[in-house]
Amino acid sequence: MNKQKIVVLSGAGISAESGISTFRDSDGLWENYDVQEVASIDGWYKNPDLMTRFYNERRAELEHKQPNEAHRLVAALEEHFKVTVVTQNIDDLHERAGSHHIIHLHGEATKACSENGKRFVQDIGYRPIANDEKAQDGARLRPFIVWFGEAVPLMDEAVREIETADIVIIVGTSLNVYPAAGLLYYAPSDAQIYVIDPKEVQPISRHVHFIKEKATVGMRQLYDQLVK
Ligand code: OAD
C-alpha cells in the first residue's frame, strides 16, 4: 500500500525545548533585538558587520544545542509515512534528528553565500563569518538567510509539497510571517491538519485539530495517534 504523505510545517517553537529562543514569545529574540536591524535586507546594507555578528552568535550557539524528542518523532514518522519537513527554522536540528527531506524556507545558519544574488552557497558549519570574508565571486560573504524584504525562493517547492499532503502537522509557529503562514491553505480540502502549540496561534480559517501542548508532548500524542 502507498504510504500516506505528511508535511510538517515547523517554526521556532519546535526548537524551544532544545534551548533555542523563539522570536515572538516573551524574552524572544525580537524583544531583545530590532528585527529591522538584524533580520532585514535593509539592515544588511546599513550595518553588515552587526548582522554578521548576530548570525555568528546564533551559529555558535547552535553547535551546542541538541535535537529534542519532537524533532526525533518527526524523523521517526518516516518509518510509516512519506514525510516532508518545511521549516522556517535556520537551525539544523531536523537534520541532526534524522529527517531526510527538509525545505528550509528561511535559509540555513550553517551556510553562507555571496551578497551578490545569494549565489555561491557554501557550508560553513558552526564557524563565524569574518567581516572581510569574500565569496567565490569576490563579493562579501553573508549568512545564507532569507531576510525580511527578500524573496522566499523555496516557497513554490513548499507549496507543491503541501498540495499533495494527506496530513499536515503545524508545530511551534505563531503563523505571523508570510508567505510561510499561508502555506496551510494549499493543503487539499480533505487533508487532516494538526496544530501543536502551547499557546493560541493566529486564527486559522479552516478546520484544524489543535493540540495545546509543547512540541515534545504534542508530537508524542500525535505520533501515537497516527502510528497505531
Ligand atoms: P515565533 O516566535 O513567531 O512563534 C513561536 C511559536 O512557538 C509560538 O506560537 C509559541 O507559542 C510556540 N512555542 C513556544 N514554545 C514552544 C514549545 N516548547 N513547543 C511548541 N511551540 C512552542 O516563531 P516562528 O513562527 O517560527 O524569520 O517565526 C517565523 C519567522 O519569524 C522566523 O522564521 C523568523 C522570524 O522573524 C526570519 O527571521 C526571516
Side-chain angles (χ1 to χ4, degrees), residues 170-226:
I170 299 170
V171 49
T173 171
S174 62
L175 295 174
N176 266 295
V177 174
Y178 283 80
L183 267 175
L184 76 106
Y185 296 104
Y186 290 91
S189 55
D190 58 350
Q192 297 292 312
I193 303 180
Y194 298 90
V195 177
I196 301 172
D197 201 295
K199 290 197 203 136
E200 297 295 322
V201 296
Q202 293 292 311
I204 297 174
S205 49
R206 56 181 286 185
H207 177 68
V208 299
H209 307 277
F210 191 56
I211 303 174
K212 198 168 182 190
E213 295 284 359
K214 292 198 284 191
T216 52
V217 176
M219 269 309 300
R220 168 51 70 190
Q221 278 180 15
L222 185 54
Y223 182 90
D224 290 346
Q225 182 184 326
L226 294 174

Side-chain angles (χ1 to χ4, degrees), residues 10-17 21-25 28-30 35 39 55 87-90 106 145-148 171-177 180 196-202 213-216:
S10 67
I14 198 171
S15 298
E17 289 163 86
S21 297
T22 61
F23 297 95
R24 295 175 183 79
D25 287 305
L29 278 173
W30 296 159
V35 52
Y55 287 96
T87 187
Q88 297 164 85
N89 299 344
I90 62 171
H106 294 165
I145 308 290
V146 174
W147 288 319
F148 289 99
V171 49
T173 171
S174 62
L175 295 174
N176 266 295
V177 174
I196 301 172
D197 201 295
K199 290 197 203 136
E200 297 295 322
V201 296
Q202 293 292 311
E213 295 284 359
K214 292 198 284 191
T216 52

Side-chain angles (χ1 to χ4, degrees), residues 72-197:
R72 284 193 288 274
L73 287 167
V74 168
L77 284 171
E78 290 185 15
E79 269 181 51
H80 308 274
F81 300 90
K82 216 173 144 208
V83 182
T84 300
V85 178
V86 178
T87 187
Q88 297 164 85
N89 299 344
I90 62 171
D91 68 53
D92 59 355
L93 298 184
H94 280 299
E95 281 86 348
R96 286 201 255 145
S99 284
H100 289 97
H101 187 198
I102 305 164
I103 298 173
H104 280 276
L105 278 181
H106 294 165
E108 294 173 67
T110 54
K111 291 184 177 168
C113 61
S114 163
E115 72 167 355
N116 182 12
K118 293 180 85 170
R119 289 171 301 167
F120 301 102
V121 180
Q122 53 177 269
D123 280 311
I124 55 167
Y126 305 102
R127 74 164 178 84
I129 298 174
N131 289 338
D132 60 357
E133 210 169 330
K134 304 281 184 249
Q136 279 147 280
D137 59 355
R140 182 164 174 158
L141 195 66
R142 59 162 269 185
F144 183 58
I145 308 290
V146 174
W147 288 319
F148 289 99
E150 292 192 304
V152 183
L154 295 180
M155 190 60 194
D156 289 352
E157 196 181 327
V159 167
R160 282 199 298 278
E161 290 293 339
I162 214 154
E163 277 175 344
T164 53
D166 299 298
I167 298 167
V168 177
I169 303 174
I170 299 170
V171 49
T173 171
S174 62
L175 295 174
N176 266 295
V177 174
Y178 283 80
L183 267 175
L184 76 106
Y185 296 104
Y186 290 91
S189 55
D190 58 350
Q192 297 292 312
I193 303 180
Y194 298 90
V195 177
I196 301 172
D197 201 295

